Amino acid sequence: MTSDRTPEYLTISPTEIDPALVRRAADALRAGGLVAFPTETVYGLGCDAFNEAAVQRVFDAKGRPLSDPLIVHVDGMAMLERVVAGPLPDIAVALIDRFWPGPLTLVLPRCADLPEIVSSGLPSVAVRFPAHPVASAIVTACGTPVAAPSANRFSHVSPTSAQHVLADLGDSCDVIVDSGRTERGLESTVVVIADDEAVVLRHGAIPLEVLGDHGALRVSEASNASPVKASPGHEKRHYSPRAPTVAIASGILRSASPETLAALARRGVVLAGYADRPCPLPEGWRFEPLGSALALDEVAHDLYAALRRMDASGADVIVLELTGAPGLGRAIDDRITRAASSLVVEDPGDLASAIDAARSP
Ligand code: TXA
Ligand code: MG
């Protein structure tokens, strides 16, 4: 279901927040409306988490399967307590102390009052307290937790500007709040608290190394071997541009022989790599710099906008180079890999056929 009118467009400066505009966005949420708003990571498509019909509209607007649970946004501990059950585990308290407000989502036992649709019937709920001043002002003015997935069509690239939201979901939002480009550019890190351990379900804006880097906290990565711990809905193809996309292991073009490079001559191929890691460009290819491999925060900030730019420029095929780096590189490489439907070419000799296969599905 979509609303049949153009959304109300509110420009709210994050440094000079207009309370009247925040109130308008909050009133729309309280009335069961869909409000797209900025966070420090990506834009979210928000609704009142306790309004089942509104939550259903969010799934419909995105074309998202009901089996893929949403993140609930809160403005502090009191609101957190309305969506979770029981006392918080010590690890959760430690993580909240250190990282909230911020791009860390915690998966915790769900309060029975919260509509099941929010977390796809799971006994858990994902919660975060966003660090963006406009996001938290809206949640506070709303007075109720706000369920919000990223404000893009399902499996498309996440939005880092209000223009991206308009392009994907302009006909289904009641209100779009524009506060400019988002700072981090990649989604929050999703962590489930299991016994005495924090397990990362989705790499994101806070790297694993930073999460684990304090006290006795044990942090690990969800392994594919334990499907219970995999994040539902974290699909193989996700964050994808429209153009067919192939991921390549870091540096493989630099090691390619002249014959291999010659065999890669094609028109309409865009190679997205790192400005400070120059590599030979096969004939007919165009280079799109993703920024410097030494400044991964800048790469993260611009990655989704770059994917949308390449689509808009009419790329036939997009070749994305992995960073191969730890830290934020893990989250960037996760998104690049999923944008390419998990097709990662490790050997330059395999690249020509991978490109041709991607182009003619
Ligand atoms: O930065 C972000 O997290 C953004 C902004 C808007 O806050 N939101 C976002 O939401 O990325 P979304 O819906 O695109 O991604 C939510 C992720 C999915 O991978 C989902 O599977 C996981 O969180 N998730 C939600 N509830 C969960 C649960 N109960 N257990 C495990 N994973 C859950
Ligand atoms: Mg998303």
Side-chain angles (χ1 to χ4, degrees):
M1 188 176 82
T2 57
S3 56
D4 50 7
R5 57 192 180 82
T6 49
E8 186 177 6
Y9 199 91
L10 306 176
T11 302
I12 305 183
S13 159
T15 50
E16 224 174 301
I17 295 178
D18 182 337
L21 297 182
V22 168
R23 168 59 49 204
R24 288 255 279 280
D27 286 348
L29 286 168
R30 293 180 65 89
L34 268 44
V35 175
F37 63 96
T39 77
E40 74 277 34
T41 58
V42 300
Y43 276 72
L45 180 65
C47 69
D48 174 353
F50 282 94
N51 182 330
E52 224 176 304
V55 177
Q56 177 72 55
R57 280 184 65 207
V58 166
F59 280 97
D60 291 344
K62 281 186 59 105
R64 175 172 174 134
L66 288 167
S67 55
D68 190 352
L70 307 184
I71 294 174
V72 174
H73 296 68
V74 299
D75 68 348
M77 298 308 279
M79 207 179 267
L80 170 68
E81 278 162 19
R82 288 167 57 191
V83 297
V84 301
L88 291 173
D90 291 346
I91 287 199
V93 174
L95 288 171
I96 287 170
D97 277 351
R98 170 79 174 75
F99 295 105
W100 277 15
L104 176 67
T105 295
L106 296 176
V107 175
L108 293 163
R110 181 175 65 86
C111 164
D113 295 342
L114 189 70
E116 289 202 349
I117 183 173
V118 173
S119 48
S120 305
L122 293 170
S124 58
V125 59
V127 196
R128 86 176 190 97
F129 177 1
H132 197 291
V134 174
S136 55
I138 290 171
V139 175
T140 297
C142 184
T144 183
V146 174
S150 53
N152 51 281
R153 293 281 304 166
F154 181 64
S155 85
H156 193 216
V157 179
S158 300
T160 53
S161 76
Q163 288 71 36
H164 297 163
V165 178
L166 201 56
D168 268 34
L169 297 173
D171 57 0
S172 39
C173 300
D174 296 292
V175 174
I176 296 180
V177 176
D178 183 351
S179 302
R181 298 262 313 252
T182 62
E183 184 195 335
R184 304 296 195 114
L186 287 183
E187 296 84 350
S188 61
T189 304
V190 179
V191 161
V192 65
I193 310 300
D195 305 324
D196 59 346
E197 204 181 1
V199 179
V200 174
L201 298 179
R202 177 179 75 178
H203 290 294
I206 300 181
L208 186 82
E209 293 86 343
V210 174
L211 277 182
D213 182 32
H214 79 116
L217 187 61
R218 292 213 310 142
V219 177
S220 69
E221 246 180 304
S223 76
N224 293 334
S226 61
V228 245
K229 288 183 178 171
S231 207
H234 201 39
E235 316 280 333
K236 267 189 156 182
R237 180 173 184 278
H238 208 141
Y239 316 102
S240 296
R242 311 227 179 272
T245 302
V246 175
I248 58 172
S250 173
I252 66 163
L253 275 177
R254 278 180 291 285
S255 63
S257 68
E259 298 72 38
T260 302
L261 285 174
L264 282 166
R266 299 271 186 299
R267 284 166 49 134
V269 179
V270 179
L271 170 69
Y274 305 94
D276 52 355
R277 278 196 204 162
C279 66
L281 209 57
E283 198 187 312
W285 290 32
R286 185 166 72 71
F287 185 69
E288 170 85 26
L290 292 176
S292 156
L294 296 174
L296 292 179
D297 52 340
E298 288 166 22
V299 173
H301 169 76
D302 195 46
L303 177 65
Y304 290 145
L307 292 175
R308 286 176 186 258
R309 281 199 297 274
M310 288 184 266
D311 257 345
S313 74
D316 284 342
V317 177
I318 296 172
V319 176
L320 291 168
E321 184 180 351
L322 296 168
T323 69
L328 205 47
R330 294 179 208 270
I332 293 168
D333 287 353
D334 171 76
R335 303 310 189 270
I336 287 178
T337 302
R338 289 175 204 273
S341 308
S342 300
L343 177 64
V344 179
V345 176
E346 310 270 356
D347 181 330
D350 297 336
L351 184 51
S353 59
I355 289 173
D356 294 335
R359 200 188 323 236
S360 54

